[in-house]
């Protein structure tokens, strides 16, 4: 049995997902690192993947679902993001607006 996040709530799944239900593609290797500001602390984190609406990062922070994080990629303005899920050192972020990727 696995769990997943849906609108800030944990959903119990009896089986792992077999179909990619994402609305858009994720880009790996496009961005290597980002600076995050979380609870008055700033740190550099690896970026696993990014899309125009969110990113997956690796970090040892322990955010709550729905909590706000500010993220900044090299050469870009700071972006407000919301924690959608957190599991095993990886965190899924949803941006407050859409980015242009590429």
């Amino acid at each position: 049995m696995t769990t997943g996040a849906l609108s800030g709530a944990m959903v119990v799944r009896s089986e792992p997902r077999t179909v990619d239900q994402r609305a858009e593609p994720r880009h790996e290797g496009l961005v290597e690192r980002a600076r995050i500001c979380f609870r008055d602390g700033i740190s550099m984190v690896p970026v696993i993947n990014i899309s125009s609406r969110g990113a997956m990062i690796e970090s040892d922070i322990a955010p709550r679902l729905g909590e706000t994080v500010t993220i900044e990629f090299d050469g870009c303005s700071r972006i407000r993001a919301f924690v959608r899920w957190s599991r095993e050192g990886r965190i899924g972020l949803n941006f407050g607006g859409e980015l242009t990727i590429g």
Side-chain angles (χ1 to χ4, degrees), residues 55-74:
M56 181 194 313
I57 62 170
E58 279 187 336
S59 179
D60 60 358
I61 64 173
R64 295 182 301 271
L65 295 180
E67 196 163 7
T68 301
V69 173
T70 302
I71 188 165
E72 183 179 357
F73 304 103
D74 284 339

Side-chain angles (χ1 to χ4, degrees), residues 7-46:
S7 300
M10 292 304 291
V11 176
V12 177
R13 301 183 203 290
S14 58
E15 299 176 10
R17 288 184 183 174
T18 57
V19 176
D20 187 354
Q21 298 172 327
R22 297 173 177 158
E24 59 188 300
R26 296 331 190 236
H27 304 278
E28 295 181 15
L30 190 61
V31 177
E32 290 184 23
R33 299 184 68 75
R35 179 179 294 107
I36 61 167
C37 183
F38 175 69
R39 296 184 188 160
D40 298 324
I42 297 174
S43 57
M44 293 297 292
V45 297

Side-chain angles (χ1 to χ4, degrees), residues 6 10 16 21 27 47-48 53 55 68 73 85 89 92 97 99:
L6 176 66
M10 292 304 291
Q21 298 172 327
H27 304 278
V47 176
I48 305 305
R53 297 176 191 214
T68 301
F73 304 103
W85 58 267
L99 298 179

